[in-house]
Each structure stands twice: as structure tokens, then as C-alpha cells.
Amino acid sequence: VQLQASGGGLVQAGGSLRLSCVASGRTFSRYVMGWFRQAPGKEREFVATIGWITGPTFYVDSVKGRFTISRDNAKNTVYLQMNSLKPEDTAVYYCAAGNTIATTNDEYNYWGQGTQVTVSS
């Protein structure tokens, strides 16, 4: 599976962005999809994950109520809608595919290249 993330950019605090991640191949619906992020000088951290068809979904506490993960299996695409963005959301965001609903990096087998999100105060 090859993953291509897009949709990052520069936004003011309180603004919104929608990230997209398109997967190659015909078996997209069989994968759990996740979003992770890595801020400068910090380790990569879990953001959100969605199960094989339409859910379930899980989020890190810091984004609950602001971010929404969704998927369109017909388009081989997973999305991350990010609202009420904060400067601390600034990071490179990565999409990932795996076989298990998990919040740790090592449970995901395939990774996209990352897309930069910068939130100004």
C-alpha cells in the first residue's frame, strides 16, 4: 500500500484544515487507517484512527471535539478534518495503514510522506 497525504498549510489559530490521504491498491477497506503527527524536537504521536469500514474511531485527548477522522472506501481516501486549530497543533502530519486498531506507531505497517500543518497565533 502506498499512501499520499495532502492538505496541509498555514492557518491562523481558530481556523480549519482538512487533510486527505489517498491509498493505492484495491484493499483499502481492509486496513485500519490512522493519523499521526510530529512536532519539531518531539516524537511522533498518535492523533486519530478509524476502523476498517466506517469505524470505530479513536482520538488523542488533545484533539477530541476538534478533529474528525473519516474514510471514503470508494475513493481509497481517509480524511482528517481539523477545526479550532491551535498553535500546538503545528506539526508534520502522517497517515498510516495497519491491521489493528491501535495508537502506537509500531502497529502501522505503511506510512505516507507527511504534510506540514502550521498554525499561527
Side-chain angles (χ1 to χ4, degrees), residues 2-121:
Q2 291 186 326
L3 304 175
Q4 180 74 37
S6 62
L10 174 63
V11 63
Q12 290 187 333
S16 298
L17 284 173
R18 188 176 79 157
L19 306 183
S20 299
C21 176
V22 180
S24 64
R26 302 179 179 179
T27 59
F28 176 74
S29 63
R30 299 181 184 178
Y31 289 99
V32 171
M33 298 301 297
W35 285 97
F36 290 74
R37 65 186 179 185
Q38 188 168 19
K42 296 187 177 181
E43 294 186 352
R44 188 175 299 184
E45 69 167 353
F46 166 78
V47 176
T49 187
I50 186 167
W52 294 268
I53 306 299
T54 59
T57 58
F58 296 95
Y59 301 89
V60 67
D61 286 347
S62 60
V63 308
K64 285 180 180 177
R66 300 189 298 121
F67 290 12
T68 303
I69 188 171
S70 62
R71 65 190 297 162
D72 185 337
N73 290 329
K75 296 182 178 180
N76 281 13
T77 303
V78 61
Y79 303 99
L80 187 67
Q81 178 66 45
M82 306 186 294
N83 299 329
S84 303
L85 282 161
K86 304 175 181 180
E88 50 263 44
D89 295 319
T90 295
V92 177
Y93 283 70
Y94 297 90
C95 60
N99 297 311
T100 303
I101 295 175
T103 61
T104 55
N105 293 351
D106 57 3
E107 292 292 341
Y108 290 83
N109 308 110
Y110 306 98
W111 292 83
Q113 85 288 0
T115 184
Q116 176 71 47
V117 172
T118 303
V119 184
S120 63
S121 58

